Amino acid sequence: MLGLVVVAAVIGVTRLAAWSLVDDRGFDLFSTLWHTPLPDDGPVIVAIDEPSFAEINAQWPWPRSLHAKLIRALRDAGAKAVGLDIIFAEPTTEEEDRAFADALGPDVVLAGDETLISTAEADQFVRTLPLDRFLGTGARPGIASISLSGDGVVRSLPDIADSFAGELARAAGIAVEPPAHGTLMQTFGGPRTYPSVSYYQALDPEHFLPPDTFRDRVVIVGLSLQNAPTVAGGGADAFSTPYTMYTGSLVAGAEIHAAIFDNLRKGFGIAAASPEAALLFLFCAAAAALVLTWRGTGWPTAIGGLAVVIAMVAGSYLVLHFGRVFISPIAPSLAFILIAAGQSTFDYAAERRSRREITRAFGQYLSPDLVERLAQDPSHLKLGGEKRVLSILFCDVRGFTTIAEGMKDDPEQLTQLINRLLTPLSEVVLAHGGTIDKYIGDCIMAFWNAPLDDALHAQHAVSAALGMLEAIDRLNDELHAEAEARDEPFTPLRIGIGVNTGECVVGNMGSTRRFDYSALGDAVNLASRLEGASKLFGVPLLIGENTATLVANEFPLFELDRVTVKGRTVGTAVSTVFGGVADDAAGLHRTFVAAFYAGDIETCRGLADRLSGEIPVLADYYRQRAAAGG
């Protein structure tokens, strides 16, 4: 849809009259960027210039007998044809006109003019031709009118059959055909690009000019000021060409005709592309933009887009110089840029919305750093639900029901205590890269390895569990100090934590109206059961067998038993983690557990007292196991 809207808009803009000036400037740049060399055998300009006015010392128009003398001098010097870019439409004195007519012949072209006169009734072309007396000598009339583009620049070749340059070519024995309408002209440089001599020099070439200056050359006589007039200052019979944007100077009409002459005889004319070809180029550019942005936008798209625009511009340039056809790349490039930029804007807006949604959805579950990573690269996220191996943590406060009942008359204090409890525990989870699944009263459920990949999820989960135990100790210190200050009794808070690792289903779960990013699976249930079972072993942390296997090299593990928790039929080894135990004591513990598994209660009883002293945190565990066979 975007492509169609842009193409329609660009087509509409290109139909405006002002747009042609944009394409014209593009042609100016392309036709002059690669300098086309001037043909060696092109016309020679005889300039009616300031030195000639000074030498001849006569008021304009000069006597026609002087022009007759020039024609004979040029003919004697070997010129093939002479074109006078001067209109001789009015008679002067008989003597002057007869002298001029006597010098004319088939090798001479005299300028004529064609003017469009617009009236309320009609538009009419009025032709001004040389006197019949002069044409009767065999001299050829040639229309020297020059057509200008809307900005006053000469760009196109005259498509009339009897143009001045065309007739000059025929007078020189060169067969040329009128160019097709709208054919553009190849220019060769700024003013005085063509070889030029002053009028007074051409009157006596033997004294003023090198030998063979005019030998077998076409000569164009016309006004050509040595100091080329500027665009701002203007000038007589001087025009802007594509090179004027570089030089700022106008080019004499005689040199314009010389360029037209070379375009006709050398086939340098440049055809303007048909409207159908221009439209096809535009649609191809739009299609390229759509293909480039089909799978989204970004820096690669910007680089690719720049390459496509450069390719279009370069292709148009090469077609002009090698195929002599000008097809403007400006409208196609504009369409391409607008489509690419528009799609980039849509994609950017969609990305911003996506980032806001991700931030809103995961800001309560993840640490700000992880939320930012998800927002920057949503490809890490699969919201529809997926299977992943997760490490799950459940943390619950021991005896919180009793604590809550004691505060039933002060709900504000109970809420404050809950917040003071859950805040540091949650911060520990987030600091270790965990995802907080939910709060269930005083219980926290969290997991690792979703939505972002975490190769060390088990280690991070166990580290978070140990950090939570440290956080609860710090909180107890604060609460104890506050209770002493109020002279109130203090009951420390205790937590139990279960950590397990296994395959789960994780994703957005809930109803169509409300859902949460959560995890489900047997591994989740086991983690919850381990949290509850931790108090049976008298330890604050219990981890499952899979987790223990993954972190065995990172933490000091103490396997406690193989249990079948409620809701499961398969037994699993459970362990706890703590440090500060000597290697000998850790070895005795392993011996104790192995004896218990083997049913050797006597060995367990023999080790229980010693281990209770060396590892006091497990004293209740040793006594329970040693008494199991009693």
Side-chain angles (χ1 to χ4, degrees):
M1 185 64 182
L2 174 63
L4 292 177
V5 171
V6 169
V7 168
V10 171
I11 290 175
V13 170
T14 58
R15 295 295 185 270
L16 299 176
W19 182 264
S20 63
L21 301 181
V22 177
D23 283 339
D24 286 344
R25 284 300 182 183
F27 171 77
D28 292 347
L29 178 64
F30 278 24
S31 65
T32 58
L33 194 58
W34 184 356
H35 183 72
T36 301
L38 185 71
D40 294 334
D41 55 348
V44 176
I45 306 299
V46 171
I48 301 173
D49 53 12
E50 296 92 342
S52 298
F53 278 103
E55 289 291 332
I56 293 172
N57 195 23
Q59 187 176 0
W60 185 264
W62 290 338
R64 290 179 178 175
S65 58
L66 187 63
H67 296 313
K69 180 180 178 182
L70 175 67
I71 292 171
R72 292 190 183 94
L74 294 173
R75 190 178 288 138
D76 292 342
K80 293 171 62 176
V82 177
L84 277 76
D85 186 17
I86 305 168
I87 297 178
F88 300 98
E90 299 292 337
T92 58
T93 64
E94 174 62 24
E95 182 181 0
E96 291 293 329
D97 288 347
R98 183 174 60 252
F100 184 61
D102 290 343
L104 299 176
D107 59 344
V108 178
V109 176
L110 301 178
D113 183 55
E114 188 174 71
T115 304
L116 174 63
I117 299 178
S118 296
T119 63
E121 292 76 20
D123 292 337
Q124 182 179 9
F125 279 103
V126 176
R127 281 199 163 203
T128 302
L129 296 177
L131 294 173
D132 290 339
R133 178 177 184 175
F134 300 148
L135 298 181
T137 64
R140 300 168 178 266
I143 301 301
S145 301
I146 294 175
S147 61
L148 305 177
S149 299
D151 57 352
V153 177
V154 180
R155 293 188 181 93
S156 58
L157 297 175
D159 56 1
I160 53 178
D162 56 347
S163 67
F164 184 82
E167 290 300 322
L168 189 57
R170 297 182 188 98
I174 303 170
V176 295
E177 295 294 330
H181 179 71
T183 299
L184 300 168
M185 179 174 64
Q186 176 66 64
T187 48
F188 306 100
R192 296 281 172 159
T193 295
Y194 278 86
S196 300
V197 300
S198 292
Y199 189 102
Y200 81 90
Q201 293 174 320
L203 286 173
D204 191 2
E206 292 183 1
H207 289 88
F208 291 107
L209 299 173
D212 299 328
T213 297
F214 301 113
R215 178 70 59 188
D216 296 326
R217 303 291 287 271
V218 169
V219 178
I220 299 177
V221 182
L223 188 66
S224 179
L225 301 176
Q226 283 190 338
N227 296 319
T230 62
V231 175
D237 196 26
F239 305 90
S240 292
T241 71
Y243 275 96
T244 300
M245 65 178 177
Y246 301 111
T247 64
S249 299
L250 305 180
V251 177
E255 288 198 75
I256 299 290
H257 291 301
I260 296 172
F261 176 88
D262 279 335
N263 272 255
L264 293 177
R265 72 187 182 100
K266 295 289 188 179
F268 285 155
I270 300 168
S274 66
E276 294 78 12
L279 192 61
L280 178 61
F281 193 9
L282 178 62
F283 276 108
C284 288
L290 292 174
V291 170
L292 188 66
T293 59
W294 184 259
R295 296 186 179 275
T297 56
W299 282 115
T301 310
I303 295 173
L306 179 62
V308 171
V309 172
I310 291 174
M312 289 192 293
V313 173
S316 177
Y317 178 74
L318 294 174
V319 167
L320 185 148
H321 279 281
F322 293 104
R324 311 308 297 174
V325 174
F326 175 63
I327 179 167
S328 175
I330 299 176
S333 297
L334 177 63
F336 181 92
I337 292 170
L338 289 177
I339 292 174
Q343 190 60 52
S344 297
T345 302
F346 292 151
D347 289 348
Y348 178 74
E351 181 183 354
R352 289 291 300 271
R353 287 195 300 270
S354 174
R355 293 183 67 167
R356 285 196 299 268
E357 291 170 1
I358 288 172
T359 301
R360 184 168 57 250
F362 289 94
Q364 58 182 319
Y365 309 134
L366 300 173
S367 68
D369 289 343
L370 293 181
V371 173
E372 182 62 23
R373 285 177 58 192
L374 267 183
Q376 289 181 355
D377 190 0
S379 64
H380 290 299
L381 180 63
K382 185 177 181 182
L383 292 177
E386 59 179 327
K387 285 186 176 181
R388 277 181 178 260
V389 174
L390 304 181
S391 288
I392 308 101
L393 177 149
F394 277 85
C395 174
D396 194 22
V397 179
R398 298 281 179 256
F400 193 79
T401 301
T402 302
I403 297 173
E405 188 169 348
M407 296 182 176
K408 63 181 179 180
D409 296 330
D410 192 354
E412 184 176 349
Q413 185 180 359
L414 177 61
T415 301
Q416 186 180 32
L417 179 61
I418 283 284
N419 291 338
R420 289 187 67 181
L421 172 67
L422 296 181
T423 296
L425 299 181
S426 301
E427 289 176 350
V428 171
V429 170
L430 297 179
H432 287 82
T435 299
I436 297 177
D437 185 307
K438 59 177 68 71
Y439 298 102
I440 311 167
D442 59 308
C443 176
I444 298 175
M445 174 186 171
F447 52 79
W448 281 257
N449 202 34
L452 292 173
D453 292 335
D454 183 356
L456 302 177
H457 52 88
Q459 290 91 322
H460 292 155
V462 174
S463 295
L466 296 175
M468 295 169 85
L469 294 174
E470 294 175 358
I472 203 69
D473 288 340
R474 290 192 296 271
L475 179 60
N476 279 326
D477 291 340
E478 294 175 7
L479 295 175
H480 188 198
E482 292 170 5
E484 285 185 341
R486 294 191 301 267
D487 195 22
E488 295 177 354
F490 169 68
T491 302
L493 299 174
R494 296 285 180 260
I495 59 174
I497 303 173
V499 178
N500 186 49
T501 300
E503 188 174 74
C504 306
V505 175
V506 62
N508 278 337
M509 299 179 189
S511 69
T512 56
R513 292 182 178 272
R514 180 182 174 85
F515 54 84
D516 292 312
Y517 189 75
S518 185
L520 295 176
D522 183 61
V524 177
N525 297 333
L526 180 54
S528 177
R529 301 301 183 190
L530 292 177
E531 177 273 315
S534 64
K535 57 187 166 185
L536 300 178
F537 289 91
V539 294
L541 171 61
L542 210 58
I543 66 175
E545 187 172 5
N546 291 341
T547 306
T549 301
L550 293 172
V551 303
N553 295 327
E554 303 294 330
F555 300 97
L557 298 179
F558 292 85
E559 187 174 330
L560 302 179
D561 202 348
R562 295 185 183 277
V563 299
T564 303
V565 298
K566 183 179 179 181
R568 289 175 58 92
T569 59
V570 179
T572 182
V574 296
S575 305
T576 190
V577 180
F578 52 84
V581 177
D583 292 342
D584 291 345
L588 286 176
H589 173 84
R590 288 190 291 271
T591 302
F592 181 93
V593 173
F596 181 77
Y597 286 162
D600 186 357
I601 300 302
E602 291 301 323
T603 300
C604 291
R605 288 171 179 170
L607 294 174
D609 289 341
R610 180 179 174 183
L611 283 171
S612 295
E614 296 196 22
I615 311 177
V617 70
L618 294 180
D620 290 342
Y621 163 78
Y622 294 131
R623 284 193 290 271
Q624 290 172 6
R625 294 300 178 269

